[in-house]
Amino acid sequence: DAGVIQSPRHEVTEMGQEVTLRCKPISGHNSLFWYRQTMMRGLELLIYFNNNVPIDDSGMPEDRFSAKMPNASFSTLKIQPSEPRDSAVYFCASSFNGGGEETQYFGPGTRLLVL
Amino acid sequence: AQSVTQLGSHVSVSEGALVLLRCNYSSSVPPYLFWYVQYPNQGLQLLLKYTTGATLVKGINGFEAEFKKSETSFHLTKPSAHMSDAAEYFCAVRGSARQLTFGSGTQLTVLP
């Protein structure tokens, strides 16, 4: 399996621009998680989906952030408008939730720099 | 609520020496515990995990960790460090909530 795929790997944009991050989970996985990593706050969960439905978005910083999962093989995280404080590494992870033990597998991340 | 504390944000060891990275957790339910490794400019790779059963867990690259409920600890060890082990290591817990809660990470430096 190719693992979790994220694109782009790097993104540089200017403040106020819209940014869209993309994720393709591992085939057969039914849960998808978006995390953000910064020096100040470490790794923090933004939102997660189960069977394409958002379950917990309490970690989404504010209304500028939105996430969708239109089908089992694709998710997007959008920031509009972007701000310099959004600069971070954004990770997508997927897992299979069968009611018992589950392991999250992470993608390589998208490094976002907002100027 | 669940939380993770990693003692020591930076650990340095000599090549061939024992690696010990400390992790303590809190969880209101029996936890699932994980160690991930992050190499520079890469994603997180699963090293090992504890779910149920044997409390000594073996992972990849010669790492192992022992779940000690009485101490609420899940320390990561490796008998002999290799230069390629230099990376950042994250301990994570999954308790009643499905999401992982991560520690702040420990940067491991291996000295020649």
Side-chain angles (χ1 to χ4, degrees):
Chain A
D1 199 312
V4 177
I5 299 173
Q6 292 187 246
S7 64
R9 292 293 308 275
H10 301 272
E11 178 80 29
V12 181
T13 190
E14 293 187 346
M15 184 174 64
Q17 297 297 305
E18 177 180 294
V19 175
T20 299
L21 311 181
R22 298 173 176 79
C23 176
K24 176 178 170 58
I26 292 172
S27 177
H29 282 187
N30 60 357
S31 296
L32 185 141
F33 304 77
W34 282 101
Y35 290 89
R36 180 172 65 176
Q37 184 180 37
T38 61
M39 290 292 292
M40 293 297 294
R41 300 173 66 89
L43 275 157
E44 51 183 349
L45 178 72
L46 299 177
I47 185 172
Y48 80 90
F49 296 83
N50 195 53
N51 294 323
N52 311 337
V53 176
I55 302 300
D56 183 355
D57 66 353
S58 59
M60 296 285 262
E62 47 198 272
D63 292 345
R64 296 185 298 107
F65 285 68
S66 62
K68 294 182 180 179
M69 192 164 186
N71 56 62
S73 59
F74 184 66
S75 177
T76 59
L77 177 67
K78 185 176 293 186
I79 308 173
Q80 167 64 18
S82 58
E83 296 183 2
R85 59 187 168 133
D86 302 330
S87 299
V89 182
Y90 292 82
F91 289 105
C92 175
S94 72
S95 68
F96 176 73
N97 174 29
E101 180 271 329
E102 67 178 285
T103 298
Q104 294 180 25
Y105 295 90
F106 283 73
T110 295
R111 295 182 176 276
L112 173 64
L113 177 61
V114 182
L115 302 174
Chain B
Q2 55 200 39
S3 66
V4 175
T5 301
Q6 289 185 240
L7 295 176
S9 58
H10 292 82
V11 171
S12 294
V13 300
S14 298
E15 191 172 21
L18 171 71
V19 176
L20 170 60
L21 304 183
R22 300 179 186 273
C23 172
N24 288 89
Y25 70 91
S26 69
S27 175
S28 57
V29 299
Y32 293 160
L33 295 159
F34 304 81
W35 275 100
Y36 286 86
V37 60
Q38 185 178 28
Y39 297 101
N41 299 318
Q42 294 189 26
L44 279 73
Q45 179 182 2
L46 181 67
L47 267 182
L48 50 79
K49 61 184 178 183
Y50 168 79
T51 54
T52 58
T55 56
L56 182 62
V57 180
K58 295 185 184 298
I60 62 173
N61 301 338
F63 284 93
E64 61 183 35
E66 186 171 11
F67 170 60
K68 291 187 177 181
K69 183 178 178 180
S70 61
E71 299 177 8
T72 60
S73 69
F74 191 56
H75 301 331
L76 182 70
T77 61
K78 182 174 180 177
S80 176
H82 191 272
M83 298 296 288
S84 61
D85 295 328
E88 189 157 21
Y89 292 79
F90 292 91
C91 181
V93 63
R94 185 166 77 86
S96 56
R98 290 207 36 234
Q99 58 265 39
L100 292 175
T101 298
F102 286 88
S104 55
T106 297
Q107 182 68 48
L108 176 65
T109 300
V110 182
L111 305 171

